[in-house]
Amino acid sequence: MEPVHGAGRPGLRTWDARRLPRRHDAELVTAELVANSLRHTPSGDGGEVTVTVAVAPGRARIAVRDSGDGTRWQPLSGLPVDEDDHGRGLFIVFAHADKVGHDADADGQTMWAELTWSEQ
């Protein structure tokens, strides 16, 4: 896979994203994962968030690494209600990605999503 580093949508735009068949899905998923990192981890309070996009034939993997400890990760525990002004980010990620995962270690956590498409 060919890695591309950047900060969310600007990083995707810096790279030639036109060659990514699911560019809009990739931008949306990246934006939601970065927003979650900034909102729910120490990375949002002066920390660091790293975005990596790795592309191979027929797929792309978007990984967002932050300084969270992984203890807040809960895969979709319930639907947000209409009155909630937040809480839809992971639903959007799960709706647009083909595979989603979470890895944590002593140095932080990585939330990742994979998009696939058929090569013609």
Side-chain angles (χ1 to χ4, degrees), residues 1 13 25 31 36 77-78 85 87 99 102 108 111 113:
M1 291 187 135
R13 288 186 184 129
D25 287 333
N36 280 351
S77 57
D85 62 353
K99 191 174 181 182
H102 175 262
M111 190 73 191

Side-chain angles (χ1 to χ4, degrees), residues 81-103:
V81 295
D82 290 341
E83 295 78 27
D84 289 343
D85 62 353
H86 59 84
R88 292 169 181 79
L90 284 181
F91 286 99
I92 292 169
V93 171
F94 275 84
H96 288 268
D98 298 301
K99 191 174 181 182
V100 178
H102 175 262
D103 302 311

Side-chain angles (χ1 to χ4, degrees), residues 25-93:
D25 287 333
E27 288 178 346
L28 182 60
V29 165
T30 303
E32 292 299 334
L33 293 178
V34 169
N36 280 351
S37 287
L38 295 175
R39 182 179 185 117
H40 299 294
T41 75
S43 293
D45 190 27
E48 184 176 305
V49 173
T50 303
V51 177
T52 303
V53 180
V55 180
R59 67 186 179 121
R61 180 181 170 119
I62 300 156
V64 177
R65 182 152 182 86
D66 59 45
S67 56
D69 61 11
T71 59
R72 294 186 62 175
W73 161 247
Q74 296 178 5
L76 303 183
S77 57
L79 294 172
V81 295
D82 290 341
E83 295 78 27
D84 289 343
D85 62 353
H86 59 84
R88 292 169 181 79
L90 284 181
F91 286 99
I92 292 169
V93 171

